[in-house]
Amino acid sequence: MIFGRRPTSVPGEGGAASKGVSAAPGEQAIRFTDVSVGVLDDTPTGDVYRPILTAVDLALTEPKIAIIGANGSGKSTLLQLFNGLVTANSGQVLIDGLDPMAQPGQVRSRVGFVFTDPAAQLVMPTPLEDIELSLRKRVPKAERRDAALAVLDELGIADLAERSVYELSGGQRQLVALAAVLAVDPQILVLDEPTTLLDLRNREKLRLCLEDLVDRRGVRVIFSTHDLEFAELADRALVVDDGRIICDATPAEAVAEYRRLIMSDSS
Ligand SMILES: Nc1ncnc2c1ncn2[C@@H]1O[C@H](COP(=O)(O)OP(=O)(O)OP(=O)(O)O)[C@@H](O)[C@H]1O
Ligand SMILES: [Mg+2]
């Protein structure tokens, strides 16, 4: 299987790649125009295109966006398009006017991505070293340790600074992974199921941290979640079903639509 490779033909997707969108200079918006992602499955009769996301059109400008939907519906794939971790097979993605494929460095310095599984992004033996690594291009070596401690302190986890990351609990690791991303001061913060490992206190801490990032630093936050109460934090919510955005509304409306969908599927 090949992920993110342009298929020879995408059923029902004629000409999307050439359509494109143009962004106003300096605009702050995440724009998807007719974006599709799929994989080619090897079969005895040749490659068969299997869609993962189909014809996604979006213009996201709100500070807090939630993405909800069933397992396997396409949420993580959608989020990974935001910083080029996944490539669109057709259509166009523009992040504040930047193309994640053509300008990967600029997009990645703007978009911070927090994975569901913190093990996917923590590479150093201790939280302090991990944050110091994140800071290496922004903070002189002599000041890095204090700056890293300040980031950990902001999330209330300075006491974990010199513990082994392997000995931390899942929730502690999730907060350290968030700290490592916040250390590089992203303008857009993408979080894939950020509350899965968190207890009630840390979930509340995360909520306050996100509110603060939006209100004080003007960060735009986009997160996927199965925590429907947490989704209510957003200004706008999308429901993904089988690779399509089937609802784009207020969180309350989106959650109601998602519940209807699940109930109708199971009846
Ligand atoms: N690299 C890949 N190669 C092939 N198929 C993939 C790949 N990544 C994802 N998929 C498939 O794409 C579909 C959507 O996956 P995705 O991870 O985006 O779902 P999700 O909505 O995030 O699910 P969950 O709630 O379980 O995290 C799934 O059927 C998945 O198996
Ligand atoms: Mg996912």
Side-chain angles (χ1 to χ4, degrees), residues 75-76 116 192-193:
K75 302 178 298 299
S76 298
T116 313
D192 197 356
E193 295 187 37

Side-chain angles (χ1 to χ4, degrees), residues 180-259:
V181 171
L182 292 183
V184 296
D185 220 5
Q187 295 173 39
I188 299 170
L189 181 63
V190 180
L191 307 108
D192 197 356
E193 295 187 37
T195 63
T196 41
L197 301 169
L198 301 184
D199 67 17
L200 200 53
R201 182 180 288 114
N202 281 329
R203 179 177 176 276
E204 182 60 7
K205 194 188 284 181
L206 175 70
R207 187 183 70 76
L208 293 172
C209 169
L210 297 183
E211 298 277 12
D212 186 60
L213 284 169
V214 169
D215 295 343
R216 279 200 312 125
R217 293 207 222 160
V219 174
R220 285 164 285 159
V221 173
I222 296 138
F223 61 91
S224 73
T225 189
H226 291 293
D227 178 343
L228 299 181
E229 210 179 280
F230 200 77
E232 302 272 350
L233 169 73
D235 306 301
R236 174 176 172 187
L238 313 175
V239 183
V240 186
D241 182 49
D242 200 15
R244 292 178 187 270
I245 310 286
I246 58 141
C247 177
D248 179 351
T250 64
E253 288 165 337
V255 166
E257 182 59 29
Y258 178 44
R259 287 189 197 283

Side-chain angles (χ1 to χ4, degrees), residues 96-152:
D96 296 347
L98 299 167
D99 178 339
M101 289 303 112
Q103 295 142 299
Q106 286 182 65
V107 170
R108 282 188 193 170
S109 65
R110 182 173 291 249
V111 181
F113 196 102
V114 184
F115 289 87
T116 313
D117 176 7
Q121 71 189 77
L122 297 177
V123 291
M124 297 301 281
T126 67
L128 186 61
E129 289 166 285
D130 215 283
I131 313 288
E132 285 180 299
L133 182 68
S134 293
L135 290 170
R136 74 194 179 289
K137 287 189 187 153
R138 314 168 52 88
V139 179
K141 196 168 184 351
E143 296 163 30
R144 227 173 272 160
R145 185 186 161 86
D146 284 351
L149 281 169
V151 176
L152 289 167

